[in-house]
Amino acid sequence: GFLIYLIINCTHLLVLGEGVRRLHVSSAFKAKVAMSRFEPGTSISYEKLHENIDIVRKRLNRPLTLSEKIVYGHLDDPVGQDIARGRTYLRLRPDRVAMQDATAQMAMLQFISSGLPKVAVPSTIHCDHLIEAQIGGVEDLKRAKEVNQEVYNFLATAGAKYGVGFWKPGSGIIHQIILENYAYPGVLLIGTDSHTPNGGGLGSICIGVGGADAVDVMAGIPWELKCPNVIGVKLTGSLSGWTSPKDVILKVAGILTVKGGTGAIVEYHGPGVDSISCTGMATICNMGAEIGATTSVFPYNHRMKTYLNKTGRADIAALADEHKDDLIPDKGCKYDQVIEINLSELKPHINGPFTPDLAHPVSEIGAVAEKNGWPLEVKVGLIGSCTNSSYEDMGRAASLAKQALDKGLKCKAAFTVTPGSEQIRATIERDGFSKILRDVGGVVLANACGPCIGQWDRKDVKKGEKNTIVTSYNRNFTSRNDANPATHAFVTSPEIVTAMAIAGTLKFDPETDYLTAANGEKFKLEPPNGDELPARDFDPGQDTYQHPPAESGSVMVDVSPTSTRLQLLEPFDKWNGKDLEDLQVLIKVKGKCTTDHISAAGPWLKFRGHLDNISNNMLIGAINIENDAVNKIKNRLTGEYGGVPDVARHYKANGLSWVVVGDDNYGEGSSREHAALEPRHLGGRVILVKSFARIHETNLKKQGMLPLTFADPTDYDKIRPDDKISITGLATFAPGKPLKGVVKHGDGSQDIITLNHTFNENQVEWFHAGSALNRMKELQ
């Protein structure tokens, strides 16, 4: 791309990096700025950030955590905003929006429905989710472009029409692209993917949201977030040997569990932070989504400065140095909870199967697996993904592969490698890592999510065949990676994945166990090593970015009315002003119900832009408490059993609204708002559970649904699968005021239960209007 030199005098504002950062410069400053991949626009300045922080600190009269500085620094009204951790809703002005292609379809369809001509903040679309892993990177990318041509064309033209940058298929995974290009210390970014917190490795507050939230920000409307609590994780000591940054978050996940971070930002601090690379910090923040955290963040330090310099943003690093006091926590700040981890004592971990918070030291997993009957043979080892696909990750994995090759060994397990971006792919190819990983038996896949999100055309086992895979990914819910419920998926570091792929068994502890060389010699793998960043500059690879044109009046965005992939949206109906009477229980869900259970990914990704078609996967993975079966519920109108979406459609056609009853942490996992859109589209009005995951609860509110929780969790046991439930008190529906549920049983008896909600005044208006999008139109 072309280079532009900007000379700024005195306190003028400087457009930096991607052309979106408006940062305060205290003296004359000459900046060499690469502008080829970045759309014009402006965002919050460090001067404005400091001004807001100063206002809030004086108001609260106490030291602030780093999380508070960045979040409160982006308040729409820092003077008048009511601020109370865990209680009030904040109105914020994010700097940027990022959308991956699976969620961008619905987000852009909603933005088109808003009637607005252009996005109000810098925004980008990243094509990473729709590329299926099958043969190898080149072949799989070519096939994806053919299969998804209609969707890619829609996203490219919609981006051009409405001022959104478009990263073409093959560019890389959204979170790696953000880290390389858009994240910087102090920025507030929202992304339509639950692992958006990856950017916290660069001192950013990056939060995963649903597409409707993204539409609010793109429309220039203040974005609402419940004021987060702050969990402090104090790191001491330093990482060494086989222990990696991944082990930090695997340990934290074991401590906090999949819902322990709900409603909180996890803020890492302490002297141990400096022993972790910038991309290692990103790994830790990325997987904070697995504990339900709003996001995670690290304080600005020299490791971030080095990364900024190496990725062409030395000018931003210089400004961050000037404003460092606003990019680290205040001395004496208070956390709501503190966890301490001594990195010098931390051992390699592996978590799973079936949940990312079941933590085990690698030294113990073999015995635990034997005791539980988990398959010991590792069928496939998979490294990469948005969590672990940095230059450092690939280098450390290659260092182990090289040791095996030198001894005449190759992987006993199948082995796949997913580069995080085109820049990473090109650089590890240039520096020889890719060849080493291929030589040891690896297949280098496309720069995309691939098997991590179920985009894996797996052929080596049959569905239902019990087997074990080991990945460096972030999630390992049942069926997530390969649609096989019998696959035992374990999450660990790329280094441990590589070692276990070479050994072919879960019983291999590389710290203590020996391998047998081709000549019969016994040897141990030396601890992995790898450079944090390339000695030479990164190789950018192919240019895969489409800049939105300055004039877009002639750009056409076509959605065929006969398309099976894309469908323009119709507004949902408004609330009729009455209580919700006699809602039929569609399904009472037993146990864990993630967004993968509510709206599966994998083969269903192709319908993410077509609400009616994708609704055919609604709750097909949830367990029905009535019969312990999946996708088999009783139709109370016909007496026959059918699939969940089929019964829901039958109820809707007959004017019968319905309710879903669920357990704890309902909607855990991905940010996909389809899990909220589908129930609304098929006639659902209420989701009643013990507790919600944060993003899913907000997504339901945005679509005009009522997400309610049992005031007494034991009331879950009172609900029978054939019940009807009435929700009363809606005429006076208001923040902090519980609603009543009248549970009507088939035998004529009733239970009256209290139902809590977390709606604020604006969100109540969403319910009244039928959706947040409807409300937005009312206010235009």
Side-chain angles (χ1 to χ4, degrees):
F2 67 90
L3 296 177
I4 194 167
Y5 285 80
L6 298 175
I7 299 178
I8 310 298
N9 293 315
C10 300
T11 60
H12 284 222
L13 297 175
L14 172 62
V15 179
L16 287 175
E18 74 274 44
V20 304
R21 304 188 182 103
R22 197 177 58 170
L23 306 173
H24 177 65
V25 182
S26 59
S27 59
F29 189 96
K30 182 177 180 181
K32 182 179 181 182
V33 186
M35 298 288 288
S36 61
R37 292 182 173 179
F38 310 105
E39 74 285 355
T42 58
S43 72
I44 195 167
S45 69
Y46 277 142
E47 183 182 46
K48 181 64 175 175
L49 185 75
H50 178 78
E51 179 183 312
N52 286 2
I53 290 170
D54 199 41
I55 291 169
V56 173
R57 187 189 286 112
K58 288 176 180 175
R59 282 185 56 201
L60 299 181
N61 193 31
R62 62 173 173 79
L64 300 177
T65 66
L66 170 61
S67 308
E68 291 179 306
K69 287 183 178 182
I70 301 176
V71 172
Y72 304 161
H74 286 79
L75 285 170
D76 182 53
D77 178 15
V79 175
Q81 172 71 59
D82 188 15
I83 301 170
R85 283 188 195 170
R87 187 175 62 81
T88 59
Y89 280 85
L90 307 177
R91 290 169 63 80
L92 303 169
R93 291 285 184 179
D95 301 312
R96 168 171 284 277
V97 174
M99 300 166 280
Q100 41 95 334
D101 51 353
T103 51
Q105 295 171 63
M106 194 57 66
M108 291 309 296
L109 286 166
Q110 290 178 90
F111 187 81
I112 291 169
S113 296
S114 75
L116 296 170
K118 292 279 185 181
V119 296
V121 301
S123 305
T124 48
I125 294 167
H126 304 258
C127 294
D128 61 359
H129 270 56
L130 301 179
I131 302 168
E132 184 182 51
Q134 188 181 76
I135 301 169
V138 175
E139 301 92 335
D140 294 346
L141 178 58
K142 180 181 178 181
R143 188 177 67 257
K145 287 180 178 178
E146 294 170 355
V147 171
N148 303 308
Q149 182 180 6
E150 179 186 15
V151 171
Y152 292 148
N153 180 63
F154 166 71
L155 293 174
T157 54
K161 182 74 173 177
Y162 296 103
V164 179
F166 180 70
W167 290 83
K168 301 173 187 177
S171 301
I173 305 172
I174 178 172
H175 311 305
Q176 183 68 27
I177 297 291
I178 288 171
L179 199 71
E180 292 172 354
N181 297 278
Y182 300 126
Y184 65 90
V187 73
L188 175 61
L189 178 151
I190 68 165
T192 60
D193 189 280
S194 56
H195 292 104
T196 301
N198 191 80
L202 202 43
S204 310
I205 291 292
C206 299
I207 301 176
V209 299
D213 278 13
V215 172
D216 279 356
V217 179
M218 290 191 292
I221 297 172
W223 173 62
E224 289 191 340
L225 176 72
K226 194 168 189 178
C227 188
N229 290 316
V230 187
I231 297 173
V233 178
K234 183 178 181 180
L235 303 178
T236 59
S238 61
L239 293 175
S240 63
W242 283 91
T243 307
S244 74
K246 188 68 164 279
D247 297 307
V248 177
I249 186 57
L250 294 177
K251 178 71 172 179
V252 171
I255 294 169
L256 289 177
T257 78
V258 290
K259 63 176 183 177
T262 301
I265 294 176
V266 179
E267 183 173 311
Y268 293 85
H269 62 282
V273 166
D274 286 342
S275 75
I276 305 172
S277 67
C278 177
T279 52
M281 290 187 259
T283 291
I284 294 167
C285 291
N286 176 294
M287 206 174 151
E290 282 19 277
I291 56 173
T294 300
T295 193
S296 302
V297 69
F298 277 83
Y300 177 64
N301 68 356
H302 73 278
R303 307 299 284 263
M304 295 181 193
K305 180 177 181 177
T306 300
Y307 185 80
L308 287 168
N309 290 340
K310 204 68 174 180
T311 52
R313 294 173 286 174
D315 38 22
I316 296 170
L319 287 169
D321 282 344
E322 288 186 35
H323 297 272
K324 186 173 181 178
D325 285 349
D326 289 332
L327 305 174
I328 59 175
D330 287 342
K331 290 182 179 180
C333 67
K334 300 297 182 183
Y335 297 101
D336 296 286
Q337 178 183 352
V338 176
I339 297 168
E340 294 196 25
I341 297 176
N342 185 336
L343 300 179
S344 300
E345 297 175 354
L346 186 64
K347 289 293 185 180
H349 274 65
I350 183 168
N351 288 22
F354 307 126
T355 184
D357 60 345
L358 185 57
H360 322 273
V362 168
S363 59
E364 298 175 10
I365 187 60
V368 173
E370 281 186 316
K371 179 181 177 182
N372 288 285
W374 301 334
L376 291 174
E377 179 190 3
V378 175
K379 284 283 189 180
V380 191
L382 306 99
I383 66 169
S385 85
C386 66
T387 317
N388 279 110
S389 56
S390 68
Y391 184 84
E392 181 182 36
D393 289 328
M394 296 300 171
R396 284 170 66 89
S399 76
L400 298 173
K402 181 68 164 57
Q403 293 180 54
L405 289 169
D406 289 346
K407 297 293 185 179
L409 298 184
K410 289 192 174 186
C411 291
K412 290 184 178 178
F415 187 48
T416 70
V417 180
T418 305
S421 67
E422 170 61 9
Q423 179 167 276
I424 294 295
R425 183 210 62 77
T427 306
I428 66 172
E429 191 71 51
R430 180 198 69 192
D431 293 352
F433 297 165
S434 295
K435 184 180 187 305
I436 292 170
L437 295 170
R438 283 194 293 264
D439 287 348
V440 85
V443 174
V444 179
L445 300 174
N447 314 321
C449 301
C452 181
I453 60 160
Q455 284 284 54
W456 184 15
D457 185 18
R458 189 178 180 192
K459 303 291 189 184
D460 63 305
V461 297
K462 296 178 180 178
K463 191 168 183 178
E465 182 180 339
K466 198 174 178 181
N467 74 100
T468 284
I469 65 172
V470 180
T471 83
S472 70
Y473 303 162
N474 40 47
R475 290 199 173 128
N476 55 351
F477 302 139
T478 303
S479 302
R480 177 175 174 87
N481 302 124
D482 61 1
N484 181 4
T487 293
H488 293 57
F490 294 85
V491 175
T492 186
S493 67
E495 300 93 315
I496 296 298
V497 172
T498 305
M500 286 186 169
I502 293 167
T505 176
L506 276 180
K507 290 194 74 172
F508 182 68
D509 177 3
E511 289 192 300
T512 58
D513 294 342
Y514 288 80
L515 294 168
T516 303
N519 64 4
E521 171 193 354
K522 298 285 187 181
F523 74 99
K524 280 174 63 176
L525 291 170
E526 294 296 322
N529 63 80
D531 292 334
E532 176 180 348
L533 295 162
R536 292 181 280 174
D537 287 341
F538 279 108
D539 183 338
Q542 299 179 37
D543 187 1
T544 54
Y545 179 74
Q546 173 186 291
H547 188 82
E551 296 295 332
S552 60
S554 62
V555 178
M556 299 297 293
V557 182
D558 291 325
V559 177
S560 168
T562 60
S563 173
T564 61
R565 299 287 302 269
L566 297 164
Q567 180 186 48
L568 292 174
L569 297 175
E570 295 292 332
F572 292 128
D573 58 301
K574 294 184 177 182
W575 175 56
N576 64 9
K578 300 177 181 178
D579 286 336
L580 298 175
E581 296 286 351
D582 293 332
L583 302 177
Q584 179 65 58
V585 172
L586 177 69
I587 180 174
K588 182 179 179 181
V589 178
K590 178 182 178 181
K592 184 186 283 281
C593 191
T594 71
T595 47
D596 282 312
H597 294 92
I598 304 167
S599 177
W604 292 95
L605 284 171
K606 61 179 174 286
F607 297 126
R608 286 283 181 88
H610 197 293
L611 179 54
D612 194 55
N613 282 347
I614 199 170
S615 293
N616 289 322
N617 77 359
M618 187 191 73
L619 286 160
I620 61 175
I623 298 174
N624 179 10
I625 200 168
E626 187 176 20
N627 54 11
D628 282 338
V630 294
N631 203 28
K632 186 178 180 182
I633 61 172
K634 191 171 185 178
N635 185 324
R636 306 299 167 179
L637 296 180
T638 67
E640 298 175 352
Y641 280 86
V644 181
D646 300 322
V647 174
R649 286 184 187 276
H650 187 258
Y651 288 169
K652 181 181 180 182
N654 285 275
L656 179 60
S657 297
W658 47 264
V659 55
V660 170
V661 178
D663 211 316
D664 262 320
N665 208 29
Y666 185 90
E668 166 194 349
S670 178
S671 69
R672 66 193 65 152
E673 66 182 327
H674 298 78
L677 281 159
E678 293 171 31
R680 184 74 161 101
H681 176 63
L682 294 185
R685 299 313 309 268
V686 174
I687 308 293
L688 174 57
V689 301
K690 292 181 182 177
S691 65
F692 283 101
R694 175 190 63 87
I695 299 176
H696 185 60
E697 182 181 25
T698 300
N699 286 347
L700 288 167
K701 293 177 183 177
K702 287 274 185 177
Q703 303 309 332
M705 295 283 286
L706 271 180
L708 304 175
T709 56
F710 297 104
D712 180 354
T714 62
D715 284 343
Y716 168 87
D717 300 320
K718 295 178 181 177
I719 310 295
R720 303 171 192 172
D722 63 342
D723 284 346
K724 289 189 175 181
I725 302 176
S726 296
I727 308 299
T728 65
L730 289 175
T732 55
F733 185 28
K737 185 176 180 180
L739 297 170
K740 290 293 183 183
V742 181
V743 184
K744 302 175 182 179
H745 306 301
D747 60 7
S749 62
Q750 293 185 356
D751 281 300
I752 309 296
I753 60 177
T754 301
L755 306 176
N756 291 336
H757 65 85
T758 61
F759 281 76
N760 63 25
E761 290 180 2
N762 287 333
Q763 294 167 351
V764 171
E765 292 302 320
W766 300 344
F767 174 74
H768 289 161
S771 71
L773 188 58
N774 288 356
R775 181 59 178 160
M776 182 192 300
K777 289 181 179 179
E778 289 178 352
L779 295 173
Q780 284 183 23

Short mmCIF file of all heavy atoms in Angstrom, two decimals, residues 719-740:
data_model
loop_
_atom_site.label_atom_id
_atom_site.label_comp_id
_atom_site.label_asym_id
_atom_site.label_seq_id
_atom_site.Cartn_x
_atom_site.Cartn_y
_atom_site.Cartn_z
N ILE A 719 -41.81 -27.01 37.19
CA ILE A 719 -42.30 -26.95 35.81
C ILE A 719 -42.36 -28.35 35.22
O ILE A 719 -41.37 -29.10 35.26
CB ILE A 719 -41.42 -26.05 34.93
CG1 ILE A 719 -41.17 -24.69 35.59
CG2 ILE A 719 -42.04 -25.89 33.54
CD1 ILE A 719 -42.39 -23.85 35.76
N ARG A 720 -43.51 -28.70 34.67
CA ARG A 720 -43.68 -29.98 34.00
C ARG A 720 -43.68 -29.75 32.48
O ARG A 720 -44.10 -28.70 32.01
CB ARG A 720 -44.99 -30.63 34.43
CG ARG A 720 -45.10 -30.82 35.94
CD ARG A 720 -46.51 -31.27 36.35
NE ARG A 720 -46.69 -31.17 37.81
CZ ARG A 720 -47.86 -31.35 38.41
NH1 ARG A 720 -48.96 -31.61 37.69
NH2 ARG A 720 -47.96 -31.24 39.73
N PRO A 721 -43.21 -30.73 31.71
CA PRO A 721 -43.08 -30.54 30.25
C PRO A 721 -44.38 -30.20 29.53
O PRO A 721 -44.35 -29.62 28.45
CB PRO A 721 -42.51 -31.87 29.78
CG PRO A 721 -41.81 -32.45 30.97
CD PRO A 721 -42.63 -32.02 32.15
N ASP A 722 -45.52 -30.55 30.13
CA ASP A 722 -46.79 -30.26 29.45
C ASP A 722 -47.49 -29.03 30.01
O ASP A 722 -48.65 -28.76 29.68
CB ASP A 722 -47.72 -31.48 29.52
CG ASP A 722 -48.10 -31.83 30.96
OD1 ASP A 722 -47.40 -31.37 31.89
OD2 ASP A 722 -49.09 -32.56 31.16
N ASP A 723 -46.81 -28.26 30.86
CA ASP A 723 -47.43 -27.09 31.50
C ASP A 723 -47.69 -25.97 30.51
O ASP A 723 -47.05 -25.85 29.45
CB ASP A 723 -46.52 -26.55 32.61
CG ASP A 723 -46.56 -27.40 33.87
OD1 ASP A 723 -47.47 -28.24 33.99
OD2 ASP A 723 -45.66 -27.22 34.72
N LYS A 724 -48.59 -25.09 30.93
CA LYS A 724 -48.76 -23.79 30.31
C LYS A 724 -48.42 -22.74 31.37
O LYS A 724 -48.72 -22.93 32.55
CB LYS A 724 -50.17 -23.59 29.78
CG LYS A 724 -50.47 -24.44 28.54
CD LYS A 724 -51.80 -24.07 27.91
CE LYS A 724 -52.02 -24.85 26.62
NZ LYS A 724 -53.30 -24.49 25.96
N ILE A 725 -47.78 -21.65 30.93
CA ILE A 725 -47.33 -20.62 31.87
C ILE A 725 -47.82 -19.26 31.40
O ILE A 725 -47.67 -18.90 30.23
CB ILE A 725 -45.79 -20.61 31.98
CG1 ILE A 725 -45.26 -21.99 32.42
CG2 ILE A 725 -45.32 -19.53 32.95
CD1 ILE A 725 -43.75 -22.09 32.46
N SER A 726 -48.40 -18.50 32.33
CA SER A 726 -48.80 -17.12 32.05
C SER A 726 -47.84 -16.17 32.77
O SER A 726 -47.46 -16.42 33.92
CB SER A 726 -50.23 -16.86 32.52
OG SER A 726 -51.15 -17.66 31.79
N ILE A 727 -47.45 -15.11 32.08
CA ILE A 727 -46.57 -14.10 32.66
C ILE A 727 -47.43 -12.87 32.94
O ILE A 727 -47.99 -12.25 32.02
CB ILE A 727 -45.42 -13.73 31.70
CG1 ILE A 727 -44.69 -14.99 31.22
CG2 ILE A 727 -44.46 -12.75 32.37
CD1 ILE A 727 -44.05 -15.81 32.31
N THR A 728 -47.56 -12.51 34.20
CA THR A 728 -48.44 -11.41 34.60
C THR A 728 -47.64 -10.23 35.15
O THR A 728 -46.49 -10.40 35.59
CB THR A 728 -49.46 -11.87 35.65
OG1 THR A 728 -48.75 -12.23 36.85
CG2 THR A 728 -50.23 -13.08 35.15
N GLY A 729 -48.25 -9.06 35.11
CA GLY A 729 -47.61 -7.84 35.61
C GLY A 729 -46.96 -7.02 34.53
O GLY A 729 -46.26 -6.04 34.83
N LEU A 730 -47.18 -7.36 33.25
CA LEU A 730 -46.50 -6.65 32.16
C LEU A 730 -47.02 -5.23 31.98
O LEU A 730 -46.32 -4.39 31.40
CB LEU A 730 -46.65 -7.44 30.86
CG LEU A 730 -45.84 -8.74 30.80
CD1 LEU A 730 -46.14 -9.50 29.52
CD2 LEU A 730 -44.34 -8.46 30.91
N ALA A 731 -48.22 -4.94 32.45
CA ALA A 731 -48.75 -3.58 32.34
C ALA A 731 -47.90 -2.59 33.12
O ALA A 731 -47.84 -1.40 32.79
CB ALA A 731 -50.19 -3.53 32.82
N THR A 732 -47.23 -3.07 34.17
CA THR A 732 -46.37 -2.22 34.98
C THR A 732 -44.91 -2.72 34.93
O THR A 732 -44.15 -2.54 35.89
CB THR A 732 -46.86 -2.18 36.44
OG1 THR A 732 -46.95 -3.52 36.94
CG2 THR A 732 -48.23 -1.51 36.52
N PHE A 733 -44.55 -3.35 33.82
CA PHE A 733 -43.20 -3.88 33.62
C PHE A 733 -42.19 -2.74 33.77
O PHE A 733 -42.25 -1.73 33.06
CB PHE A 733 -43.14 -4.49 32.22
CG PHE A 733 -41.85 -5.19 31.88
CD1 PHE A 733 -41.05 -5.78 32.83
CD2 PHE A 733 -41.44 -5.28 30.54
CE1 PHE A 733 -39.88 -6.44 32.51
CE2 PHE A 733 -40.28 -5.94 30.18
CZ PHE A 733 -39.49 -6.51 31.17
N ALA A 734 -41.25 -2.90 34.70
CA ALA A 734 -40.30 -1.82 34.99
C ALA A 734 -39.02 -2.40 35.56
O ALA A 734 -39.01 -3.52 36.10
CB ALA A 734 -40.92 -0.85 36.00
N PRO A 735 -37.92 -1.65 35.47
CA PRO A 735 -36.64 -2.12 36.02
C PRO A 735 -36.76 -2.46 37.50
O PRO A 735 -37.39 -1.73 38.27
CB PRO A 735 -35.71 -0.92 35.80
CG PRO A 735 -36.30 -0.20 34.63
CD PRO A 735 -37.78 -0.34 34.78
N GLY A 736 -36.16 -3.57 37.88
CA GLY A 736 -36.11 -3.97 39.28
C GLY A 736 -37.40 -4.50 39.85
O GLY A 736 -37.45 -4.85 41.04
N LYS A 737 -38.45 -4.59 39.04
CA LYS A 737 -39.75 -5.06 39.53
C LYS A 737 -40.01 -6.46 38.99
O LYS A 737 -40.23 -6.63 37.79
CB LYS A 737 -40.85 -4.11 39.09
CG LYS A 737 -42.22 -4.45 39.66
CD LYS A 737 -43.25 -3.41 39.25
CE LYS A 737 -44.63 -3.73 39.82
NZ LYS A 737 -45.64 -2.73 39.43
N PRO A 738 -40.01 -7.49 39.83
CA PRO A 738 -40.22 -8.86 39.35
C PRO A 738 -41.60 -9.04 38.71
O PRO A 738 -42.54 -8.28 38.98
CB PRO A 738 -40.10 -9.71 40.62
CG PRO A 738 -39.33 -8.87 41.58
CD PRO A 738 -39.74 -7.45 41.28
N LEU A 739 -41.69 -10.04 37.86
CA LEU A 739 -42.96 -10.44 37.27
C LEU A 739 -43.45 -11.71 37.95
O LEU A 739 -42.71 -12.34 38.71
CB LEU A 739 -42.78 -10.69 35.76
CG LEU A 739 -42.36 -9.47 34.93
CD1 LEU A 739 -41.97 -9.89 33.53
CD2 LEU A 739 -43.48 -8.43 34.89
N LYS A 740 -44.69 -12.07 37.70
CA LYS A 740 -45.26 -13.30 38.26
C LYS A 740 -45.46 -14.32 37.16
O LYS A 740 -45.83 -13.98 36.03
CB LYS A 740 -46.59 -13.01 38.94
CG LYS A 740 -46.49 -12.20 40.22
CD LYS A 740 -45.79 -12.98 41.33
CE LYS A 740 -45.75 -12.18 42.63
NZ LYS A 740 -45.01 -12.90 43.70
#
